[in-house]
Amino acid sequence: MQRAQDKGLLEVHLHALRDYAIGKHRQVDDYPFGGGAGMVMKPEPIAACIEHLKQQRTYDAVVYTSPDGVRLDQPLCNRLSLYQNVLILCGHYKGVDERIREKYITLEVSIGDYVLSGGELAAAVLIDAVGRLLPGVLNDESSALTDSFQDHLLAPPVYTRPAVWEGHAVPEVLLSGHEKKIEDWRLEQSMERTQSRRPDLWEVYQKG
Ligand code: ADE
């Protein structure tokens, strides 16, 4: 991601909600109405921040990172990679006041069925997975196309030198120089791997 930013292909700007909070304590969270454990992120600083940012750019999506969101997967990353500007609100504590979600959020994204202590890591995951798809970010541009998941298949095994390591040889076909045979072998390996490790993906592939 650093290289992508250095090349001017990606810009990531961080905004501290506290900078938009008012009062002596610049409070960004408060107790939940109705009681219960944990704090809730107050609406005013978030609204002030989003309104400020919206004056500077048009956002194609305002994303909220939360375990309630749609699961981040490759098709969603592909879609987000076509967007020009994306605003990501990182959830914290027990979450944000529901009215913020209703007013501003266009997409809620979860990176998996587990709870992080904050949405920042989820945002970082999203930025990485989407950022690497931007044209010119990867050294070998075609390599994103052969990633696991791009075609609902896991990637095949890969090998490099030495051809024999601790008595284990690299599959013959990879040394053959026969492009078509190599391609067939890789597809076969991908299919076997997907079938045994990810029966859920395998089903999608077969229907595909
Ligand atoms: N915030 C807390 N847990 C999260 C998750 N699993 N995905 C996205 N944001 C989160």
Side-chain angles (χ1 to χ4, degrees):
M1 287 309 100
Q2 189 59 57
R3 196 151 31 87
Q5 289 176 74
D6 293 344
K7 285 197 211 165
L9 302 167
L10 171 71
E11 284 181 31
V12 180
H13 301 276
L14 300 179
H15 306 276
L17 285 173
R18 206 171 282 282
D19 295 344
Y20 296 86
I22 47 170
K24 198 167 66 174
H25 302 292
R26 298 198 161 260
Q27 196 181 347
V28 293
D29 61 345
D30 209 337
Y31 294 98
F33 276 127
M39 301 294 269
V40 176
M41 289 165 73
K42 289 169 68 60
E44 304 96 317
I46 299 172
C49 180
I50 294 178
E51 291 293 349
H52 176 72
L53 296 175
K54 277 186 159 180
Q55 278 172 14
Q56 298 166 358
R57 285 169 219 263
T58 304
Y59 288 94
D60 301 301
V62 181
V63 176
Y64 174 52
T65 55
S66 152
D68 308 355
V70 292
R71 187 83 68 81
L72 185 66
D73 60 8
Q74 197 61 49
L76 181 54
C77 292
N78 293 348
R79 206 174 94 212
L80 291 172
S81 75
L82 301 174
Y83 291 170
Q84 194 72 28
N85 296 307
V86 175
L87 197 160
I88 306 174
L89 171 64
C90 300
H92 234 267
Y93 318 109
K94 274 287 160 197
V96 304
D97 188 290
E98 189 65 20
R99 293 164 292 184
I100 287 294
R101 290 164 86 160
E102 288 164 2
K103 178 162 183 190
Y104 293 109
I105 304 302
T106 63
L107 177 65
E108 303 203 1
V109 174
S110 165
I111 63 162
D113 287 344
Y114 42 82
V115 180
L116 301 165
S117 53
E120 290 83 357
L121 279 174
V125 166
L126 192 150
I127 292 165
D128 187 288
V130 172
R132 63 188 289 283
L133 298 175
L134 303 176
V137 169
L138 295 183
N139 285 332
D140 174 3
E141 272 194 52
S142 70
S143 73
L145 298 173
T146 55
D147 285 342
S148 284
F149 305 116
Q150 278 301 9
D151 47 10
H152 304 293
L153 286 176
L154 299 179
V158 292
Y159 299 88
T160 186
R161 288 184 289 180
V164 180
W165 177 70
E166 295 193 349
H168 297 275
V170 166
E172 241 351 281
V173 62
L174 297 177
L175 311 176
S176 70
H178 195 303
E179 270 185 41
K180 173 77 173 88
K181 276 193 187 154
I182 293 171
E183 196 186 312
D184 289 349
W185 179 85
R186 285 185 170 148
L187 178 61
E188 195 182 296
Q189 292 287 316
S190 280
M191 288 166 63
E192 269 177 31
R193 206 160 249 211
T194 308
Q195 201 167 5
S196 64
R197 295 182 186 204
R198 291 290 305 274
D200 57 321
L201 265 189
W202 179 243
E203 243 177 71
V204 178
Y205 173 78
Q206 280 183 309
K207 280 184 198 147

